[in-house]
Amino acid sequence: MNNIEMIREKASLAQGTVHKVFLASLGAYGKGFEEAKGRFENLSAGSNKMFAELVEKGVSLETEGKSKFTEARSKVSAKADIDKRVVALRSALGLDKNEANLKIETLNAKIDALTKAVTKLAK
């Protein structure tokens, strides 16, 4: 074999080796892409599932919250009604604090007037 044929053969071998390296890197890229795509699909499916679970939990909590709010509002409304009735009843019976205070002030004024009259009479 002469030098030119040897160079051609080595160039052909080198070209084959370079082509194989190119194919191997192309295969590695393809495999990496497929793995990344699979992981993305799994992650996407998992996140969609988690999102659906969170929405379901949110609906449940919202329903429960609305129910508790309605119940609390009813209790507050009932207490306000009872308080109004108690105030009206105390007022009707003359037990209203404001009315009682007015009556005491009136009686104190009458006692003061009587005390002055008794003092004048005593002199």
Side-chain angles (χ1 to χ4, degrees), residues 27-43:
Y29 172 78
K31 185 172 181 171
F33 179 78
E34 287 174 2
E35 286 183 15
K37 181 180 174 187
R39 288 182 183 174
F40 176 76
E41 288 172 354
N42 287 341
L43 181 62

Side-chain angles (χ1 to χ4, degrees), residues 5 26 34 43 52 67 88 97 103-104 115:
E5 287 178 4
L26 189 60
E34 287 174 2
L43 181 62
S67 172
K97 289 181 183 177
K103 287 180 182 179
I104 290 171
T115 303

Side-chain angles (χ1 to χ4, degrees), residues 1-12:
M1 218 191 254
N2 66 24
N3 285 341
I4 294 177
E5 287 178 4
M6 266 177 42
I7 292 173
R8 282 187 186 159
E9 186 178 318
K10 289 192 181 204
S12 177

